[in-house]
Amino acid sequence: EAQIEPDPTKKTLVILGTGWGSVSLLKKLDTENYNVIVISPRNYFLFTPLLPSCTTGLIEHRSIMEPIRSILRQKKAAVKFYEAECTSIDPERKVVKISDNSDIRADVLETEVPYDMLVVGVGAENSTFGIPGVKEHSCFLKEIGDAQNIRKRIMDCVETATFKDQTPDEIDRLLHMVVVGGGPTGVEFAGELQDFFEEDIKKLIPEISHRFKVTLIEALPNVLPSFSKHLIEYTESTFKEEKIDIKTKTMVKRVTDKTVEAEFTGPDGKKETVVLPYGLLVWATGNAVRGVVRDLMAKIPAQKDSRRGLAVNEYLVVQGTRDIWAVGDCAVAGYAPTAQVASQEGNFLARLFNNMAKTEQLEQHVRDLSASLNLHPGNSAEICRQIEESERQLRRIKDIKPFHYSHQGSLAYIGSEKAVADISWFNGNLASGGSLTFLFWRSAYLSMCFSTRNRLLVINDWLKSKLFGRDVSRE
Ligand code: FAD
Ligand code: NAD
């Protein structure tokens, strides 16, 4: 029977966030051991790997969302969920301050939640490096709302470009889609956008479709820096075939409502300013630390040298604290900020917490047995045997190995039904690109979807788009 009131004999475990790290922890956590409270401004889990496909309507956004309430319903003991943002963490008083940002203005909008144990899994925010104009004029690609904005904006540009008497220069500007950042987010989005153009837009607005153009800007000498060399070359040559213009060694310095200004470094080291008029600008230059995390770091002296997030030890304990753990993009454990790392960290913490609870139970059991030894001396042989058995179990489970990340490989979609994959294969490395890899990419992502419901919805969206094209009605 689900228990609603907190059990005073159990510790309160507060989990911040409903992303990859926190949800992986929740999935494996035995919630009967703790009073578990989840706090997140988002009442769903988002399967980010397929988010770029939502920007063109290839996949409908609800197909990659899973309500947190349905996830929690499946747990053995009830878990409390508050849809709220954690605005600050007080490690001294062991409380988190939370704020309800909903449009419904209720009586209580802010309150505090005390914790015995805290897991910070709030992810990261978009980096802009303080470049002027970026915040005001760009679209980002991190959350569902971002993908919906982009989808709307693409169709806005297309419809406005076809407006009666539109000038040729303005048509060129409106149909110029600029992506800044050649990491996997920027590359996958550029690929999806070009597919949209080839498969749908061309048919829908043939009169001006030849003016549609995608440009990808990257500050470094090549895109996808974390992939192997031949996959970088494969991606760049595929983009060339797809007519996506890649501008490498080009660093964006300023953005206005209609233009991107960048600095290109030529082979001779000479710098040149380029100005690109755009209709849609998508900014994908990676992660920055969230305010609530920065604020917590400032309160902990041991975090003073950490820049990219909460420095954690090999058990994911935030350095300089005793009861705070961090997972995913907000934690610095020496790995890349990926879903793969976040989910393995979440799984690790679930095992650790299940183990800690079991250890405490066994230790209590040993204490109870020792006490009964004095009360029932006649039974001493049997009680001693039980104590020994419990201590053996204790030794076994107490020996928890530190967190170890096991890299399963990197995958990225690059458009025109092609993907690239860097996979660890029987201790070796397999780097492949092409249409077969695309099928592998689709099946791998399908198998990673959160639920069967998500899986069926995604398959349905793929089929629907193949048969009828993407839905271009602007909501
Ligand atoms: P998130 O999944 O971002 O979750 C953070 C959670 O915290 C959210 O629920 C958020 O609402 C909540 N939150 C935010 N602020 C607060 C607050 N103040 N208080 C409480 N809760 C808060 N990685 C891969 O390995 N493979 C991929 O194919 C891949 N594709 C990607 C595609 C895109 C478009 C993007 C943007 C990322 C992709 N990634 C991929 C990276 C991956 O999504 C992240 O590394 C991963 O989401 C990190 O997990 P997390 O739990 O740390 O954060
Ligand atoms: P990223 O940090 O991987 O890449 C950002 C890129 O932007 C960098 O290459 C950087 O040189 C460039 N950049 C920065 N400032 C610039 C400027 N002013 N002008 C031009 N270029 C600039 O960011 P991401 O692609 O958002 O990825 C974030 C994390 O999520 C990474 O760890 C990534 O591996 C992961 N991710 C993985 C996948 C996948 O596996 N398919 C997909 C998306 C994201």
Side-chain angles (χ1 to χ4, degrees):
E1 192 57 17
Q3 191 188 316
I4 301 301
E5 281 314 305
D7 179 342
T9 64
K10 293 176 185 170
K11 284 188 173 166
T12 297
L13 168 61
V14 171
I15 301 172
L16 303 179
T18 46
W20 277 98
S22 301
V23 166
S24 306
L25 158 62
L26 273 167
K27 239 177 144 176
K28 293 245 162 80
L29 182 72
D30 183 348
T31 52
E32 282 182 311
N33 295 329
Y34 301 96
N35 298 310
V36 183
I37 301 175
V38 178
I39 299 163
S40 174
R42 204 172 79 183
N43 78 343
Y44 55 87
F45 166 74
L46 172 64
F47 185 75
T48 47
L50 288 176
L51 192 61
S53 303
C54 290
T55 59
T56 62
L58 177 72
I59 287 179
E60 292 296 339
H61 61 276
R62 288 194 176 271
S63 307
I64 57 166
M65 294 157 72
E66 185 73 14
I68 192 74
R69 300 268 179 201
S70 341
I71 298 173
L72 298 183
R73 207 188 50 202
Q74 290 161 20
K75 299 308 295 182
K76 266 203 254 158
V79 174
K80 275 209 165 75
F81 173 69
Y82 300 129
E83 190 185 68
E85 188 184 322
C86 169
T87 50
S88 80
I89 298 167
D90 186 338
E92 289 289 318
R93 287 173 52 231
K94 296 182 78 166
V95 293
V96 294
K97 204 184 250 175
I98 65 170
S99 151
D100 179 352
N101 297 331
S102 117
D103 289 339
I104 296 172
R105 308 311 286 167
D107 288 348
V108 181
L109 295 174
E110 247 187 25
T111 185
E112 284 186 346
V113 179
Y115 65 81
D116 297 308
M117 294 156 73
L118 175 70
V119 176
V120 188
V122 298
E125 55 183 44
N126 297 295
S127 66
T128 63
F129 305 105
I131 298 171
V134 175
K135 271 212 173 88
E136 298 85 318
H137 306 298
S138 314
C139 294
F140 296 99
L141 184 49
K142 197 163 193 63
E143 298 289 345
I144 278 294
D146 298 332
Q148 286 171 305
N149 275 345
I150 294 175
R151 187 173 175 186
K152 229 182 271 176
R153 177 93 188 194
I154 300 170
M155 286 324 292
D156 249 351
C157 288
V158 168
E159 298 298 0
T160 307
T162 52
F163 188 65
K164 187 166 178 294
D165 302 333
Q166 200 62 274
T167 62
D169 280 354
E170 192 63 348
I171 295 174
D172 282 339
R173 177 182 76 83
L174 290 164
L175 294 185
H176 188 199
M177 313 277 146
V178 174
V179 186
V180 181
T185 304
V187 164
E188 289 194 321
F189 171 66
E192 295 278 356
L193 199 52
Q194 191 65 23
D195 284 359
F196 185 24
F197 165 67
E198 285 294 336
E199 292 162 16
D200 296 299
I201 295 180
K202 244 180 171 173
K203 293 179 207 149
L204 298 171
I205 47 157
E207 65 282 11
I208 55 163
S209 69
H210 59 283
R211 292 168 182 266
F212 191 91
K213 188 175 153 200
V214 179
T215 300
L216 177 66
I217 303 181
E218 167 57 53
L220 298 175
N222 55 265
V223 298
L224 291 182
S226 59
F227 281 70
S228 48
K229 194 166 169 274
H230 103 257
L231 291 182
I232 292 172
E233 282 162 10
Y234 182 76
T235 305
E236 293 186 348
S237 73
T238 306
F239 270 22
K240 215 175 238 164
E241 280 166 30
E242 289 170 4
K243 303 210 166 49
I244 296 172
D245 189 12
I246 303 187
K247 290 194 185 310
T248 50
K249 296 189 187 160
T250 308
M251 184 177 280
V252 174
K253 297 279 185 181
R254 207 168 87 92
V255 169
T256 70
D257 59 342
K258 291 181 181 164
T259 59
V260 171
E261 293 174 27
E263 192 177 76
F264 168 69
T265 311
D268 50 359
K270 247 204 198 141
K271 295 197 190 310
E272 188 189 311
T273 300
V274 269
V275 177
L276 302 167
Y278 70 84
L280 167 77
L281 171 65
V282 172
W283 193 265
T285 62
N287 292 346
V289 181
R290 278 196 197 282
V292 64
V293 172
R294 224 179 311 121
D295 175 61
L296 173 63
M297 287 162 68
K299 291 177 187 161
I300 307 168
Q303 296 286 331
K304 92 175 186 321
D305 295 328
S306 189
R307 291 281 163 272
R308 296 166 71 182
L310 291 160
V312 294
N313 72 10
E314 71 274 32
Y315 289 91
L316 307 182
V317 178
V318 172
Q319 306 266 19
T321 73
R322 288 189 45 172
D323 312 296
I324 308 180
W325 288 259
V327 287
D329 287 2
C330 66
V332 179
Y335 308 107
T338 66
Q340 226 183 118
V341 171
S343 66
Q344 289 186 27
E345 289 176 342
N347 284 339
F348 170 81
L349 277 195
R351 257 182 290 130
L352 184 76
F353 293 166
N354 291 345
N355 232 316
M356 280 163 60
K358 211 167 196 178
T359 307
E360 271 176 30
Q361 281 163 13
L362 274 170
E363 279 170 352
Q364 185 57 43
H365 188 55
V366 170
R367 276 196 297 273
D368 292 348
L369 283 171
S370 309
S372 70
L373 202 56
N374 300 330
L375 295 174
H376 312 283
N379 262 353
S380 65
E382 172 56 19
I383 296 175
C384 283
R385 196 196 58 76
Q386 285 185 20
I387 291 179
E388 242 172 60
E389 170 59 27
S390 299
E391 282 181 336
R392 223 186 348 262
Q393 273 188 33
L394 256 176
R395 272 196 300 277
R396 206 172 48 237
I397 63 168
K398 254 186 161 173
D399 182 27
I400 307 171
K401 302 256 176 336
F403 173 69
H404 169 74
Y405 169 63
S406 133
H407 187 60
Q408 305 295 306
S410 309
L411 278 170
Y413 180 62
I414 58 169
S416 63
E417 306 207 332
K418 287 178 183 156
V420 287
D422 256 332
I423 312 250
S424 320
W425 201 267
F426 299 109
N427 294 331
N429 253 340
L430 182 76
S432 79
S435 302
L436 257 182
T437 316
F438 166 70
L439 291 179
F440 174 70
W441 173 82
R442 275 207 163 170
S443 44
Y445 278 18
L446 210 51
S447 74
M448 283 190 279
C449 275
F450 188 85
S451 61
T452 311
R453 188 185 71 93
N454 282 160
R455 230 162 269 142
L456 290 176
L457 290 173
V458 168
I459 294 174
N460 184 50
D461 289 342
W462 279 336
L463 284 175
K464 203 174 68 182
S465 302
K466 190 99 196 155
L467 287 174
F468 308 113
R470 293 164 179 80
D471 184 348
V472 295
S473 35
R474 195 172 60 80
E475 284 167 73

